């Protein structure tokens, strides 16, 4: 799986000030009958973006923002809760997002996002509140320095699991690393057989 | 003296292939990999793209459950797939299993069913094992004292190729239930009460061990229901130490060890329980004797309350958002809210004991004329067992539909769904907006509560129905 290496992202934010945005909101289950990763971006937040007849809703956060200029999603706490569907980060990435910022991001979503070039950023309550109340802000998310910058000020420091960070910085999936452990894996199998 | 260890510590350390360092997570060995049609096609595609083989097809089992119809085949033997995409997904898994030599418990196989129902049923799920599946309800298997967790599709590819995942050890949490459950209260009510107590993200970053006398008294089916909903509290891992109840359940199943291997396995499994004074980063105590039949009233599983309460007035913006969607009359009893549809099934509550519980309420009664009720057994084996004791006849006589096994309305991606605006009382695990169909309002409940609601045509407390049954007997 190829994705763009992630170093520093400077972009504008789209703010969804709602807690517990679950994976069924991000990509409804009826779009999961696909055998590919491609094309899911069109269906991201589908029921929020389109009406019963499939017409784009206006005004709408997503339909009125340009994904080329707004690559950062700021959301309420417990973002990405629910299912293990990797279709959720695929859809967000496919739409154009490269980072999601919240005070608290669900475990499986976080793990999936990190493997697909979508940076999950967990910030403290103060920075979270500031970002939630400043929609359309231009911010910088720096994966090397692990900072979020608004204007001239570093407003938050964040943590990313060290290994996943290296993978993201280099734009590689961790499978290569696991494949290099073949000897250890075989030894484990021999020991426990 | 070494530190006392928890069940989780023991399961974890027995499966570490390469230890965790500041730079890299642990390489954790996986004993059982369960695969289904929705989260696997892109993983097989990565394997094929890189020219890799499945490392341990012998420890990999696949089934078809999410996209499969629950209506039977037509006269020509064709299944009524809801979309060409659903059919293609099923065909893709069949082809991938053939290509990679993976055993598929597929359509027409008497062992097919919901992945979290059949793993235990076949004895594939055993104490001490690591179990993964591209499905967040994999924690269900933790009921056996296994380390079981949901993974994403990239990780499905990792396990197919290497039989391992990269994982840092999460923090540990213990939820202790004390006291005897009241009549009409079961594991589903315990799960909802626990989630209401700790919150939908209360278990985030933790592996939960469920313990205490109430848990010990639960059947394996009840333990599976409880562990199943760990993820609704944010925890990827939920587990219960194995005991005689566990061993009795596993013994004699198709893939369970037998003869000398059984004795050896038993000796190993008996050593898995958490030692006294083992430490947990977080501990929660719940008095189970105070739990009443529970339902959810919002759009997150932690919005749960006793069925005999009134619908609360929203206090926060999030609660207002949920209340606007759910349209329950604030301040009025839940039991006055009209129900349009009832779903009894899912990996949470589709086992034989769940169906017995629902049938005990429905026997000799009739589903309200305004309600469509669907009963979907968790597996072919559950379906056969239920039919052997006449439960299907009870449901059909009551006016409910008796369907073929599958995930059905829990995820509503096979064509089984509610209509916009409908209120569905469901034994599944998620009440998210649109989860059971666009605009559908989901109320989560136990099989007894769902069945009682089907009969009453309103959200109903199951206890009066169960009392009647006792008086009749």
């Amino acid at each position: 799986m190829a994705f763009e290496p992630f170093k520093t992202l400077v972009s504008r934010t789209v703010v969804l000030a709602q807690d517990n945005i679950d994976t069924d909101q991000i990509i409804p289950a009826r779009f999961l009958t696909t055998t590919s990763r491609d094309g899911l971006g069109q269906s991201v937040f589908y029921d929020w973006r389109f009406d019963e007849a499939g017409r784009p809703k206006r005004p709408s956060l997503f339909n009125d923002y340009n994904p080329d200029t707004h690559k950062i999603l700021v959301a309420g706490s417990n973002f990405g809760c629910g299912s293990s569907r990797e279709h959720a980060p695929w859809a967000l990435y496919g739409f154009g997002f490269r980072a999601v910022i919240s005070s608290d991001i669900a475990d499986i979503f976080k793990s999936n996002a990190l493997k697909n070039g979508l940076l999950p950023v967990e910030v403290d309550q103060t920075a979270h509140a500031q970002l939630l109340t400043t929609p359309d802000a231009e911010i910088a998310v720096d994966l090397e320095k692990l900072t979020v910058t608004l204007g001239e000020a570093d407003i938050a420091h964040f943590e990313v699991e060290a290994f996943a960070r290296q993978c993201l910085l280099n734009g590689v999936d961790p499978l290569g690393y696991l494949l290099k452990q073949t000897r250890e894996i075989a030894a484990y199998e021999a020991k426990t057989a | 003296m070494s530190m006392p260890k928890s069940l989780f510590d023991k399961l974890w350390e027995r499966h570490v292939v390469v230890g965790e360092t500041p730079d890299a997570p642990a390489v954790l060995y996986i004993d059982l990999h369960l695969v289904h049609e929705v989260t696997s096609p892109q993983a097989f595609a990565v394997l094929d793209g890189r020219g890799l083989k499945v490392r341990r097809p012998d420890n990999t089992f696949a089934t078809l459950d999410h996209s499969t119809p629950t209506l039977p085949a037509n006269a020509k033997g064709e299944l009524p797939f809801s979309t060409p995409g659903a059919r293609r997904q099923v065909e893709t898994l069949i082809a991938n299993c053939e290509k990679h030599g993976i055993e598929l418990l597929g359509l027409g196989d008497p062992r097919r069913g919901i992945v979290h129902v059949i793993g235990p049923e076949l004895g594939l799920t055993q104490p001490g094992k690591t179990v993964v599946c591209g499905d967040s309800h994999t924690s269900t298997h933790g009921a056996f004292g296994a380390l079981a967790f949901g993974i994403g599709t990239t990780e499905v590819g990792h396990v197919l190729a290497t039989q391992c995942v990269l994982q840092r050890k999460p923090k540990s949490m213990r939820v202790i239930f004390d006291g005897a459950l009241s009549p009409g209260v079961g594991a589903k009510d315990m799960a909802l009460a626990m989630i209401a107590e700790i919150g939908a993200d209360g278990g985030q970053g933790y592996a939960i061990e469920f313990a205490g006398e109430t848990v010990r008294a639960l059947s394996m089916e009840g333990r599976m229901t409880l562990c199943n909903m760990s993820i609704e509290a944010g925890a990827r891992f939920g587990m219960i130490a194995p005991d005689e109840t566990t061993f009795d359940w596993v013994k004699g199943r198709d893939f369970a060890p037998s003869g000398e291997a059984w004795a050896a396995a038993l000796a190993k499994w008996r050593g898995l329980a958490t030692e006294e004074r083992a430490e947990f980063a977080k501990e929660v105590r719940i008095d189970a004797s105070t739990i009443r039949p529970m339902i959810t009233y919002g759009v997150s599983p932690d919005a749960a309350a006793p069925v005999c309460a009134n619908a609360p007035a929203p206090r926060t913006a999030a609660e207002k958002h949920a209340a606007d969607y759910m349209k329950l009359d604030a301040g009025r009893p839940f039991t006055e809210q009209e129900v349009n549809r009832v779903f009894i099934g899912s990996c949470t509550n589709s086992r034989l004991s769940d169906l017995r519980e629902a049938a005990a309420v429905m026997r000799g009664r009739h589903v309200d004329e305004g309600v469509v009720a669907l009963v979907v057994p968790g597996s072919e084996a559950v379906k056969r067992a239920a039919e052997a004791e006449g439960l299907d006849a009870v449901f059909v006589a009551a006016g409910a539909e008796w369907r073929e096994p599958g995930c059905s309305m829990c995820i509503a991606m096979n064509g089984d769904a509610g209509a916009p605006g409908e209120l569905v009382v469901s034994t599944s695990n998620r009440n998210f907006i649109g989860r059971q169909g666009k605009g559908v309002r989901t109320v989560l409940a136990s099989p007894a509560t769902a069945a009682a609601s089907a009969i009453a045509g309103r959200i109903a407390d199951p206890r009066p129905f169960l009392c009647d049954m006792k008086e009749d007997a």
Side-chain angles (χ1 to χ4, degrees):
Chain A
M1 167 65 189
F3 51 82
E4 299 158 21
F6 192 116
K7 297 207 171 9
T8 303
L9 173 66
V10 180
S11 185
R12 291 190 175 275
T13 61
V14 176
V15 173
L16 280 177
Q18 192 178 314
D19 293 342
N20 298 322
I21 293 174
D22 59 74
T23 48
D24 279 270
Q25 307 314 309
I26 300 170
I27 182 85
R30 61 185 184 279
F31 297 110
L32 304 187
T33 55
T34 172
T35 52
S36 156
R37 304 167 188 251
D38 301 328
L40 286 162
Q42 297 159 22
S43 311
V44 76
F45 291 113
Y46 190 92
D47 293 339
W48 296 8
R49 291 167 55 212
F50 298 96
D51 67 13
E52 298 293 332
R55 288 176 303 237
K57 292 181 187 172
R58 300 216 182 263
S60 147
L61 276 182
F62 299 104
N63 297 326
D64 297 331
Y65 276 127
N66 177 354
D68 291 330
T69 55
H70 291 75
K71 293 176 183 291
I72 302 173
L73 179 64
V74 177
S77 75
N78 200 25
F79 182 82
C81 59
S83 95
S84 62
R85 64 186 70 158
E86 203 157 312
H87 309 68
W90 292 337
L92 289 165
Y93 188 93
F95 184 76
F97 288 115
R98 294 294 177 269
V100 179
I101 304 180
S102 173
S103 54
D104 170 14
I105 299 177
D107 282 343
I108 306 184
F109 177 87
K110 194 161 48 184
S111 159
N112 286 336
L114 285 166
K115 295 179 179 71
N116 289 283
L118 179 73
L119 180 65
V121 180
E122 289 175 311
V123 297
D124 63 51
Q125 300 287 348
T126 311
H128 190 222
Q130 189 177 358
L131 289 167
L132 283 174
T133 51
T134 325
D136 201 23
E138 183 168 277
I139 64 170
V141 176
D142 189 327
L143 183 58
E144 284 174 312
K145 290 194 228 147
L146 296 169
T147 53
V148 177
T149 311
L150 173 63
E152 296 295 305
D154 283 354
I155 60 165
H157 176 85
F158 61 95
E159 301 286 335
V160 176
E161 193 280 310
F163 182 81
R165 177 167 170 257
Q166 280 308 319
C167 288
L168 262 178
L169 287 169
N170 299 318
V172 297
D173 168 272
L175 179 55
Y177 173 83
L178 269 173
L179 288 168
K180 281 186 202 145
Q181 315 296 322
T182 305
R183 201 187 323 166
E184 285 78 6
I185 296 168
Y188 178 90
E189 285 174 332
K191 188 182 75 186
T192 54
Chain B
M1 226 180 81
S2 63
M3 289 268 288
K5 286 176 184 158
S6 67
L7 165 67
F8 174 54
D9 293 330
K10 295 177 193 181
L11 292 170
W12 182 271
E13 68 187 32
R14 286 174 197 192
H15 291 90
V16 171
V17 175
V18 180
E20 183 173 335
T21 67
D23 292 335
V27 175
L28 205 64
Y29 195 81
I30 301 305
D31 298 318
L32 174 64
H33 185 194
L34 300 169
V35 175
H36 66 79
E37 74 274 26
V38 180
T39 56
S40 65
Q42 298 88 348
F44 282 110
V46 168
L47 245 62
D48 293 346
R50 296 207 192 182
L52 296 167
K53 288 197 293 197
V54 175
R55 183 177 178 87
R56 294 296 298 267
D58 56 328
N59 289 342
T60 311
F61 292 85
T63 194
L64 297 161
D65 53 6
H66 284 65
S67 302
T68 55
T70 58
L71 288 167
N74 65 16
K76 287 191 240 160
E78 297 159 339
L79 284 169
F81 283 100
S82 61
T83 62
R87 179 194 298 278
R88 192 160 52 244
Q89 214 167 40
V90 164
E91 289 167 352
T92 303
L93 183 59
I94 294 171
N96 280 328
C97 287
E98 266 176 29
K99 179 172 180 186
H100 292 281
I102 294 168
E103 184 162 2
L104 172 67
L105 312 171
L107 299 165
D109 192 308
R111 302 167 298 171
R112 189 187 69 85
I114 302 175
V115 65
H116 309 310
V117 176
I118 64 169
E121 207 167 67
L122 292 168
L124 287 166
T125 305
Q126 293 166 17
K129 276 192 178 183
T130 41
V131 183
V132 295
C133 175
D135 191 289
S136 61
H137 290 106
T138 308
S139 56
T140 310
H141 307 260
F144 290 80
L147 186 64
F149 54 106
I151 57 177
T153 295
T154 300
E155 291 171 310
V156 170
H158 294 172
V159 181
L160 289 173
T162 69
Q163 205 59 27
C164 291
V165 289
L166 288 164
Q167 180 73 39
R168 285 196 188 272
K169 191 178 179 187
K171 293 174 284 184
S172 64
M173 173 171 174
R174 181 157 58 181
V175 178
I176 301 171
F177 289 92
D178 291 312
L181 292 172
S182 314
V185 177
K188 180 63 163 286
D189 304 303
M190 290 167 67
L192 291 173
M194 182 265 303
I195 298 161
E197 169 98 16
I198 71 173
D201 56 358
Q204 194 135 282
Y206 290 94
I208 301 181
E209 178 177 347
F210 298 102
E213 55 175 309
T214 327
V215 173
R216 292 264 76 87
L218 285 177
S219 67
M220 281 319 297
E221 288 87 346
R223 294 180 188 187
M224 284 188 256
T225 300
L226 185 58
C227 289
N228 174 273
M229 290 193 72
S230 304
I231 188 68
E232 273 63 54
R236 276 175 95 171
F237 308 78
M239 66 199 80
I240 294 170
D243 58 13
E244 296 308 315
T245 305
T246 322
F247 309 143
D248 288 348
W249 208 91
V250 173
K251 194 172 186 180
R253 295 190 180 263
D254 286 2
F255 289 89
S258 57
E260 279 177 32
W262 173 257
L266 211 53
K268 239 167 59 178
W269 297 347
R270 287 192 201 282
L272 285 169
T274 292
E275 293 161 15
E276 272 194 60
R277 291 186 298 278
E279 284 185 14
F280 291 83
K282 192 168 165 183
E283 197 156 84
V284 177
R285 265 184 193 275
I286 295 173
D287 179 356
S289 68
T290 64
I291 299 175
R292 285 165 286 173
M294 298 287 288
I295 57 153
T296 62
Y297 56 86
V299 297
S300 172
D302 53 0
V307 67
C308 47
N310 291 347
R315 294 159 304 178
T316 63
E319 287 176 0
K320 170 122 191 5
H321 174 75
D324 287 348
Y325 183 79
M326 289 303 292
K327 297 186 180 66
L328 302 179
D329 298 327
R332 308 283 301 170
F334 287 127
T335 51
E336 289 180 8
Q337 317 281 342
E338 199 177 315
V339 171
N340 308 107
R341 202 176 282 261
V342 165
F343 171 61
I344 296 169
S346 86
C347 59
T348 314
N349 282 126
S350 65
R351 297 177 183 85
L352 188 60
S353 62
D354 299 314
L355 303 187
R356 283 179 182 154
E357 185 182 314
V361 171
M362 285 198 180
R363 185 171 280 120
R365 296 194 171 96
H366 204 276
V367 170
D368 185 82
E369 60 182 15
V371 176
V372 175
L374 229 65
V375 185
V376 184
S379 68
E380 297 287 351
V382 169
K383 182 167 183 265
R384 282 192 303 275
E387 288 175 353
E389 54 185 77
L391 301 185
D392 58 325
V394 173
F395 295 127
V396 171
E401 295 179 39
W402 176 245
R403 294 287 189 93
E404 300 297 318
C407 301
S408 183
M409 268 190 72
C410 173
I411 185 162
M413 61 177 292
N414 74 330
D416 298 345
E422 281 189 344
L423 187 88
V424 180
V425 178
S426 177
T427 67
S428 55
N429 40 58
R430 289 190 176 133
N431 54 352
F432 299 155
I433 290 174
R435 169 84 179 181
Q436 297 192 293
K438 199 169 176 175
V440 171
R441 303 173 294 146
T442 299
V443 169
L444 301 176
S446 71
T449 302
S453 302
I455 302 297
R458 291 168 193 283
I459 295 173
D461 188 328
R463 290 173 293 185
F465 292 83
L466 295 163
C467 291
D468 286 1
M469 290 312 298
K470 275 183 197 147
E471 284 164 14
D472 293 347

